[in-house]
Amino acid sequence: MKHLERDGAEAFRAGRPRSVTVLGSTGSIGCSTLDLIERERDRFELIALTAHKNVDALIEQARRLKPQLAVIADALLYDELKAGLEGTGIEVAAGRDAVVEAALRPAEWVMAGIVGAAGLAPTLAAVRRGACVALANKECLVSAGPLFLAEVARSGTVLLPVDSEHNAIFQVLDQTRLHAVDKIILTASGGPFRTWSLAEMAKATPEQAVAHPRWSMGAKISVDSATLMNKGLELIEAHYLFPVGEERLDIVIHPESIIHSMVGYVDGSVLAQLGSPDMRTPISYALAWPDRMATPCERLNLAEIGRLTFEAPDPVRFPAISLARAAVKAGGAVPTILNAANEVAVAAFLDRRIGFLDIAGTVESVLSAMAPDSGQPDNLEHIYEIDGLARIRAEELVQLVGR
Ligand SMILES: NC(=O)c1ccc[n+]([C@@H]2O[C@H](COP(=O)([O-])OP(=O)(O)OC[C@H]3O[C@@H](n4cnc5c(N)ncnc54)[C@H](OP(=O)(O)O)[C@@H]3O)[C@@H](O)[C@H]2O)c1
């Protein structure tokens, strides 16, 4: 298998443009990626952009950045996309398979910025052809970790974690000396409800849940941050990316979101990566890898910040972390079930069909019903089947709760 990125890294350093595809270009991660690309436009060549339903934003981005291909996942929006890009020479396509086709186009570097399990098939397509994959989509690893990593190993792809915590760990972890790691410590902002009582959380609205105090993100991950399921998903992601053992993965609440994660070594040293809470820093790290590129991100002024604080997560108000840890320990299809149930529950909460506390409740009930007999998936079809069953089960519960 040809290692597209390894071959291209030296050439990129020497000034040849890097060819890039952005999956999920209209999302929060996608827009930040395009913002960085536009700041150094001559260093990047756009191959493909993809979106789901936001056809207006995709048309606007495509006209601005002139990729070879623009894809809308919702096939019903094909005509609108085609009309919007008439006369530009940009190829257009629509449908789920077309998103996978976009990932197969020979870009050296692919941003996996689609949210949810929908990102799995296109991200795998990029991995299988050996592209360098900037992994923002955490659900790929959560729902299909071992199979996904087997494909990464087989293709020799370079996987660059974009999630700020995993990017931080990637920057400070000596991957050749995992035996010398004492702890990997994931930091969490605590989300908008960090100081709320359970009674207050029971009445939380979608607007309050997506109003994250530190990070500006898409709706689904913002709700995950409010339940702390985001940290649970990140724990699972870290378990697969940095195989030091689940018992050596810790989580600490750090409301200022300045330290993005830490690695403690057996000699007592703790290495941390710090920065302003702006996803353009980890995205730029992946975009320019193995170099670095300048970003407009606010520079840290520690004297002005004054204090960095830390606290332990509260397992009673935020049970999602315990659910995720149990899923890591159980292994097999349990993380797949957890992820699928969570996606359904978050969507139902955003639609005001269930309350905020019902999100973790739904996930827990689906896990109790399905986890004991879920087995060990050995191929992607099996993963999709389990994912689908968990969604049906979660939807049934949502309907019961929502009545
Ligand atoms: N945002 C962050 O700061 C952040 C940080 C760390 C990790 N992440 C992870 O990065 C991923 C993206 O997050 P985000 O916040 O950028 O999400 P987002 O703002 O909701 O954007 C999601 C993107 O995926 C597209 N999409 C949604 N459903 C799709 C489907 N079924 N098929 C194809 N494309 C689809 C959306 O298209 P439309 O716009 O057309 O709907 C959009 O381009 C998530 O896995 C998240 O956990 C995000």
Side-chain angles (χ1 to χ4, degrees):
M1 177 68 66
K2 185 170 156 55
H3 301 303
L4 287 169
E5 182 50 35
R6 283 180 195 151
D7 293 350
E10 280 311 312
F12 178 63
R13 236 196 288 240
R16 182 174 66 72
R18 173 167 281 172
S19 56
V20 306
T21 281
V22 182
L23 303 172
S25 65
T26 49
S28 166
I29 290 287
C31 290
S32 294
T33 308
L34 295 186
D35 174 78
L36 290 168
I37 289 172
E38 280 187 288
R39 287 168 194 275
E40 299 205 19
R41 191 64 193 90
D42 53 345
R43 297 189 74 197
F44 301 98
E45 181 196 352
L46 255 296
I47 303 297
L49 299 180
T50 79
H52 183 212
K53 287 181 184 292
N54 196 345
V55 70
D56 292 337
L58 180 62
I59 290 168
E60 187 276 319
Q61 289 180 339
R63 285 189 165 269
R64 216 171 69 224
L65 284 126
K66 305 188 174 30
Q68 294 173 8
L69 171 69
V71 174
I72 191 87
D74 184 340
L76 297 173
L77 295 167
Y78 175 78
D79 289 342
E80 220 171 304
L81 180 63
K82 192 166 165 33
L85 294 178
E86 195 76 61
T88 59
I90 297 167
E91 207 181 320
V92 297
R96 279 206 309 210
D97 291 349
V99 177
V100 174
E101 289 296 319
L104 287 170
R105 291 282 170 107
E108 292 161 306
W109 187 97
V110 176
M111 167 53 78
I114 292 175
V115 64
L120 181 56
T123 307
L124 264 177
V127 162
R128 283 177 175 143
R129 67 177 177 79
C132 176
V133 173
L135 190 68
N137 175 294
K138 60 193 80 186
E139 294 88 351
C140 277
L141 276 175
V142 174
S143 66
L147 292 170
F148 186 83
L149 289 180
E151 293 294 338
V152 169
R154 191 171 305 137
S155 65
T157 205
V158 176
L159 196 63
L160 299 167
V162 168
D163 226 336
S164 58
E165 295 75 5
H166 306 81
N167 185 267
I169 296 162
F170 191 72
Q171 293 196 42
V172 297
L173 177 64
D174 182 348
Q175 304 241 21
T176 62
R177 289 184 179 75
L178 290 184
H179 61 274
V181 173
D182 179 39
K183 286 271 181 223
I184 289 181
I185 306 154
L186 297 161
T187 53
S189 71
F193 306 147
R194 181 175 64 88
T195 57
W196 288 31
S197 68
L198 269 175
E200 288 168 322
M201 286 162 74
K203 293 189 202 126
T205 64
E207 290 74 18
Q208 291 169 320
V210 300
H212 197 280
R214 299 280 168 203
W215 296 94
S216 156
M217 308 181 286
K220 194 263 176 180
I221 184 175
S222 296
V223 176
D224 284 345
S225 296
T227 58
L228 291 201
M229 181 57 90
N230 185 47
K231 216 44 57 181
L233 299 179
E234 287 177 5
L235 184 92
I236 302 174
E237 196 184 0
H239 170 71
Y240 291 128
L241 283 173
F242 313 115
V244 296
E246 169 273 327
E247 66 291 348
R248 285 199 276 172
L249 298 175
D250 266 4
I251 293 173
V252 68
I253 304 289
H254 165 46
E256 295 82 12
S257 296
I258 297 296
I259 297 180
H260 298 304
S261 278
M262 299 172 256
V263 177
Y265 289 93
V266 288
D267 62 1
S269 302
V270 178
L271 270 58
Q273 187 260 353
L274 286 71
S276 301
D278 186 328
M279 283 307 293
R280 288 177 299 180
T281 296
I283 294 171
S284 73
Y285 185 86
L287 193 55
W289 182 90
D291 269 338
R292 290 190 187 255
M293 64 190 278
T295 73
C297 301
E298 200 181 324
R299 298 302 184 250
L300 272 191
N301 183 336
L302 288 175
E304 207 169 82
I305 293 165
R307 263 156 50 101
L308 297 180
T309 59
F310 305 92
E311 62 199 45
D314 175 356
V316 177
R317 287 180 305 132
F318 300 102
I321 292 180
S322 311
L323 294 175
R325 201 176 273 285
V328 167
K329 283 189 181 143
V334 181
T336 315
I337 297 167
L338 172 123
N339 182 63
N342 182 57
E343 281 190 31
V344 171
V346 170
F349 169 70
L350 286 169
D351 284 349
R352 299 175 205 281
R353 294 165 61 212
I354 59 173
F356 181 76
L357 296 179
D358 297 327
I359 301 173
T362 303
V363 175
E364 189 170 9
S365 300
V366 175
L367 283 170
S368 308
M370 290 184 64
D373 310 313
S374 58
Q376 186 76 37
D378 47 17
N379 57 50
L380 273 178
E381 286 61 41
H382 197 184
I383 294 272
Y384 287 131
E385 188 189 321
I386 293 166
D387 176 284
L389 289 172
R391 280 170 203 271
I392 292 170
R393 186 84 201 199
E395 190 52 49
E396 285 166 2
L397 283 166
V398 161
Q399 287 182 16
L400 271 180
V401 172
R403 257 187 216 149

